[in-house]
């Protein structure tokens, strides 16, 4: 996984609540078997509207997406964080995220930052008036910019993995003996599809 | 201290829990389908890893498969390549694949329970958000992303933060004509689409106890639409009776051992939840979603709401946008909304009881001239059972198309989609923009409401349907 320490970039404001993963990357793009190539299809249907935020030239270099509450709800498709990241976003800021999306984002080094609703409202107002640049620092857990500074909380283990770009499968496999010990105690009547 | 069913399942599956780290949970069953797995298998290959427990892993094809009789011929080359990738991966990693025409293929959340693989007290994951369905058996079941799929394939375990718990207690009995789907939609309408975020929901109360296993599956299935990754019902005699004799259910002495364990799992009186919600069953009605989020829901007797009812600017924008997308005006009576399509199917409502309920309503009627209606059974086993009862003939003679099993028009990854502007009464779980096809307009309803709408050409209150009940 790509590590994340601090990122400074331009904010694209997407002032909608409940942005679901069907909008982030529609189903017709989920048939591919690769992990890359999703960026160009990000918000595919919405981008057919010329006024959509990501079609506006002033946001073409944006790397921080600001969104409404419950971002990433719906399907578990990890293609959603892949598409956001491959499009060029490093950070998503919203009042809250759907659980599975939040996990998927973290596994890919895409930082999902929850700020308080009034702070997000302030950022939407500022981003709507003029270009807004923010710095998101995972070491200090703060989002800052001109006349703006707010702390955020993140699960400490997820933060540790992100800061160091750790492969959590590798971490778990270090505990293989404990997994094997647990397995040895499982009741024999539990279902197996075939003897393995 | 009295414990919840969730507490018992969680505690029994912690492999290790170091301070400052998430718990490592053992996973008893991993369900796999074609869409969210190819990148995970690639990851294993690149790292030189194997599948730790192929016997606790089972795969099927559901999202991409066509539902026409010639479905083995997949005309979409990208979909065909994805299905072919799953076949190769299953072969290479030694995983059983319930392929088309195996007699056991179907929607992953239909086949797990019907084979008896889903059992009380288990931890179950799948790269699919509707994995919450399996919680109906008193299992801890939740959807995961592809990175986590790879993690479970490699280690049969998953690092997880312990979620909070929410009790949704449904007091009283469901009135006549009110289904598990209406209960689910009513709950989402009450707590909102992010009301359950960070929680596991336990459904309890008289109305939940009275639900069949299939009704409980419908209820738990929709939990993710309330934001919670998992929903469960404490196991009871209804659960055990459903499981007895199924192919992977324990047999003989093992059955007795299993039952005595399962009987210890239910939430104990006085166990504490982080939050509690009470729903009065007798106040529930048949529901219809009007907008582009499952929380945008009104009773069939109601009207399409307007922006003046929104509590914030952001919500007002959302309502206006949904009204425009759905092509609806505030104040329109729900029972005057005409439809073009009907879809009866999906992991929410494609089981035998759903099909029976819908078939009973269409008997002796014809699908409205302006409507095209589709019935897609959840699995090959459901299809066989329905045909043995003659349900296929009841649907066909009423003018419904009777299809082969799969996810179909729930998300339209296969050729079953809505055209731009088409309006559909659907028994599926999501009414997001474009979910059933770009520009398509989805109204979520129960199987009975969908069947009645197919006949009438518009939504009708099934409590007033001739012969209903």
């Amino acid at each position: 996984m790509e590590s994340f320490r601090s990122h400074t970039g331009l904010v694209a404001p997407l002032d909608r609540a409940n942005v679901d993963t069907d909008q982030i990357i529609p189903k017709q793009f989920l048939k591919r078997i690769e992990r890359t190539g999703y960026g160009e299809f990000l918000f595919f249907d919405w981008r057919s509207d010329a006024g959509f935020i990501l079609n506006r030239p002033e946001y073409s270099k944006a790397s921080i997406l600001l969104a409404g509450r419950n971002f990433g709800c719906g399907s578990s498709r990890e293609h959603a964080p892949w598409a956001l990241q491959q499009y060029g976003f490093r950070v998503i800021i919203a009042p809250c995220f759907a659980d599975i999306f939040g996990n998927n984002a973290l596994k890919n080094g895409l930082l999902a930052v929850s700020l308080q609703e009034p702070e997000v409202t302030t950022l939407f107002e500022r981003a709507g008036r003029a270009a807004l640049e923010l710095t998101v620092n995972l070491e200090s857990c703060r989002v800052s910019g001109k006349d703006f500074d707010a702390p955020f909380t993140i699960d400490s283990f997820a933060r540790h993995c992100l800061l160091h770009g750790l492969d959590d499968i590798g971490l778990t496999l270090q505990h293989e003996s404990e997994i094997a010990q647990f397995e040895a105690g499982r009741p024999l009547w539990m279902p197996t599809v075939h003897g393995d | 201290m009295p414990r919840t069913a969730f507490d018992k399942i969680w505690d029994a599956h912690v492999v290790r829990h170091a301070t400052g780290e998430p718990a490592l949970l053992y996973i008893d069953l991993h369900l796999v389908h074609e869409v969210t797995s190819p990148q995970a298998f690639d990851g294993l290959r690149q790292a030189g890893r194997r599948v730790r427990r192929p016997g606790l892993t089972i795969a099927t094809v559901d999202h991409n498969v066509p539902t026409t009789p010639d479905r083995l011929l997949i005309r979409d080359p990208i979909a065909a390549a994805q299905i072919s990738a799953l076949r190769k991966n299953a072969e290479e990693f030694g995983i059983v694949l319930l392929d088309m025409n195996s007699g056991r293929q179907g929607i992953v959340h239909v086949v797990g329970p019907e084979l008896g693989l889903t059992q009380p007290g288990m931890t179950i994951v799948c790269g699919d958000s509707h994995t919450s369905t399996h919680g109906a058996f008193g299992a801890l079941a939740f959807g995961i992303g592809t990175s986590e799929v790879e993690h479970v394939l490699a280690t049969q375990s998953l690092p997880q933060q312990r979620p909070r718990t929410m009790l949704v207690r449904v007091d009283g009995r469901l009135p006549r004509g009110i289904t598990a789907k209406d209960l689910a939609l009513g709950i989402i309408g009450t707590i909102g689409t992010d009301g359950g975020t960070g929680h596991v929901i336990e459904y309890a109360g008289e109305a939940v106890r009275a639900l069949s296993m299939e009704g409980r599956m419908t209820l738990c299935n929709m939990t993710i639409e309330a934001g919670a990754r998992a929903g469960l019902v404490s196991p009871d005699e209804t659960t055990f009776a459903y499981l007895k004799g199924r192919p992977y259910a324990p047999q003989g002495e093992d059955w007795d051992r299993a039952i005595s364990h399962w009987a210890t799992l239910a939430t104990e009186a006085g166990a504490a939840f982080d939050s509690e919600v009470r729903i009065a069953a007798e106040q529930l009605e048949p529901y219809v979603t009007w907008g582009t989020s499952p929380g945008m829901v009104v009773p069939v007797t109601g009207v399409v709401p307007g922006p003046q009812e929104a509590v914030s600017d952001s919500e007002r924008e959302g309502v206006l946008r949904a009204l425009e997308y759905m092509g609806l005006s505030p104040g329109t009576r729900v029972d005057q909304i005409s439809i073009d399509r009907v879809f009866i199917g999906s992991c929410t409502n494609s089981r035998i009881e759903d099909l029976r309920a819908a078939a009973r309503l269409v008997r002796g009627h014809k699908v409205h001239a302006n409507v095209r209606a589709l019935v897609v059974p959840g699995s090959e086993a459901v299809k066989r059972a329905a045909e043995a009862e003659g349900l296929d003939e009841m649907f066909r003679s009423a003018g419904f198309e009777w299809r082969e099993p799969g996810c179909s028009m729930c998300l339209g990854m296969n050729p079953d989609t809505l055209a731009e502007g088409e309006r559909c009464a659907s028994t599926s779980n999501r009414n997001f923009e474009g979910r059933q096809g770009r520009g398509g307009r989805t109204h979520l309803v129960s199987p009975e409401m969908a069947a009645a709408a197919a006949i009438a050409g518009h939504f009708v209150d099934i409590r007033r349907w001739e012969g209903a009940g």
Side-chain angles (χ1 to χ4, degrees), chain A residues 22-23 27 30-31 34-35 46 48 69 78 99 103-104 155 157 172 176 183 186 193-194 196, chain B residues 26 28 39 52-53 55 76 82 96 145-147 151 161 194 198 321 411 413 433-435 438:
Chain A
D22 274 84
Q23 307 317 313
K27 75 298 210 97
L30 311 186
K31 296 175 197 168
E34 297 82 15
R35 216 178 171 110
W46 287 356
S48 63
R69 59 183 299 127
E78 198 161 315
D99 289 337
N103 272 343
N104 286 343
D155 168 62
F157 186 72
T172 298
E176 204 163 5
E183 273 174 337
R186 294 177 75 237
V193 181
H194 56 69
D196 68 332
Chain B
Y26 195 80
D28 292 318
Q39 296 86 354
R52 181 180 176 84
R53 293 297 303 272
D76 174 351
Q82 194 169 56
V96 170
T146 298
S147 293
H151 196 116
Q161 294 292 351
D194 58 1
R321 205 184 143 73
L411 84 169
M413 276 190 79
E433 287 180 32
R435 172 78 177 179
R438 191 170 178 171

Side-chain angles (χ1 to χ4, degrees), chain B residues 100-430:
Chain B
M100 284 184 276
N101 294 0
S102 64
R104 293 183 163 187
Q105 175 263 340
I107 305 173
V108 68
H109 310 307
V110 175
V111 299
E114 77 188 5
L115 288 175
L117 280 165
T118 301
Q119 297 175 13
M122 289 172 67
T123 48
I124 300 174
V125 296
C126 174
D128 192 286
S129 59
H130 290 109
T131 308
S132 57
T133 310
H134 307 263
F137 291 78
L140 176 61
F142 53 91
I144 57 179
T146 298
S147 293
E148 291 175 313
V149 168
E150 185 179 338
H151 196 116
V152 176
L153 289 172
T155 70
Q156 204 57 41
S157 63
L158 201 58
Q160 288 289 299
Q161 294 292 351
R162 191 181 183 117
R164 293 186 293 278
T165 53
M166 177 186 284
L167 176 67
V168 174
R169 200 166 118 168
V170 190
D171 295 316
R173 293 185 183 182
L174 292 180
R176 191 181 64 89
I178 309 303
T179 66
K181 181 65 162 286
D182 299 302
L183 174 55
L185 288 170
I187 291 169
I188 296 163
T190 304
I191 70 173
T193 52
D194 58 1
T197 304
H199 292 78
V200 166
I201 294 178
E202 176 164 351
Y203 299 100
E206 187 185 355
V208 173
R209 285 282 136 234
L211 289 175
S212 69
M213 283 315 294
E214 298 198 356
R216 294 178 189 184
M217 284 188 249
T218 299
L219 178 60
C220 289
N221 171 278
M222 295 288 287
T223 305
I224 184 68
E225 312 321 328
R229 276 174 95 182
L232 62 83
V233 176
S234 280
D236 59 12
E237 291 301 326
T238 303
T239 321
F240 310 151
Y242 176 94
L243 277 165
K244 192 161 177 66
R246 294 197 177 257
Y248 287 102
Q251 316 283 333
E253 286 180 16
D254 280 346
W255 173 259
D256 299 333
R257 287 188 196 102
I259 286 267
S260 56
H261 172 61
W262 295 342
T264 67
L265 292 170
T267 291
E268 293 155 27
F273 288 82
D274 294 305
S275 58
E276 295 196 14
V277 175
R278 285 207 172 191
I279 304 279
E282 62 270 21
Q283 286 173 15
L284 295 168
E285 297 195 57
Y287 292 102
V288 179
T289 64
W290 62 268
T292 53
S293 163
M296 292 173 161
V297 64
V298 287
V300 65
T301 50
V303 297
V304 174
Q308 71 283 357
E309 289 158 54
V311 294
S312 66
D313 284 352
S314 165
E315 194 186 322
R316 195 168 303 118
E317 285 293 311
V319 168
L320 287 169
R321 205 184 143 73
L323 288 169
E324 190 192 339
Y325 182 86
M326 293 297 290
L328 292 172
S329 314
T332 304
R333 283 176 53 157
V334 171
D335 62 6
Q336 287 178 355
I337 298 173
S338 295
I339 53 158
D340 310 299
R341 304 285 298 267
V342 166
F343 171 61
I344 298 177
S346 86
C347 58
T348 313
N349 280 129
S350 65
R351 296 178 183 83
I352 190 72
E353 290 175 11
D354 298 318
L355 303 190
R356 281 182 195 138
R360 198 172 56 230
L361 278 168
V362 306
R363 186 182 233 155
H365 295 283
K366 289 283 178 202
V367 169
H368 191 274
N370 297 341
V371 175
R372 186 176 165 201
L374 215 62
V375 183
V376 183
S379 67
E380 292 180 353
V382 170
K383 182 164 184 274
R384 271 196 309 276
E387 288 173 351
E389 294 178 20
L391 302 184
D392 58 327
E393 265 316 301
M394 287 163 71
F395 283 118
R396 278 209 192 90
S397 60
F400 285 79
E401 294 173 45
W402 177 251
R403 295 292 190 92
E404 299 294 321
C407 300
S408 179
M409 208 198 269
C410 173
L411 84 169
M413 276 190 79
N414 76 347
D416 307 337
T417 55
L418 294 182
E420 179 102 30
E422 277 189 323
R423 189 179 296 286
C424 182
S426 179
T427 67
S428 55
N429 40 60
R430 290 187 175 134

Side-chain angles (χ1 to χ4, degrees), chain A residues 78-101:
Chain A
E78 198 161 315
H79 312 67
W82 295 338
L84 286 159
Q85 202 167 33
Q86 289 161 18
Y87 177 87
F89 287 113
R90 297 291 318 277
V91 180
I92 317 292
I93 299 175
C96 59
F97 293 86
D99 289 337
I100 304 179
F101 176 85

Side-chain angles (χ1 to χ4, degrees), chain A residues 15-18 66-70 93-96 113-125 148, chain B residues 194 312-315:
Chain A
D15 195 0
R16 293 179 192 178
N18 300 311
L66 181 66
R69 59 183 299 127
N70 201 25
I93 299 175
C96 59
V113 174
S114 297
L115 291 182
Q116 302 292 322
E117 197 120 31
E119 293 165 346
V120 172
T121 305
T122 301
L123 291 178
F124 270 122
E125 283 164 10
F148 185 88
Chain B
D194 58 1
S312 66
D313 284 352
S314 165
E315 194 186 322

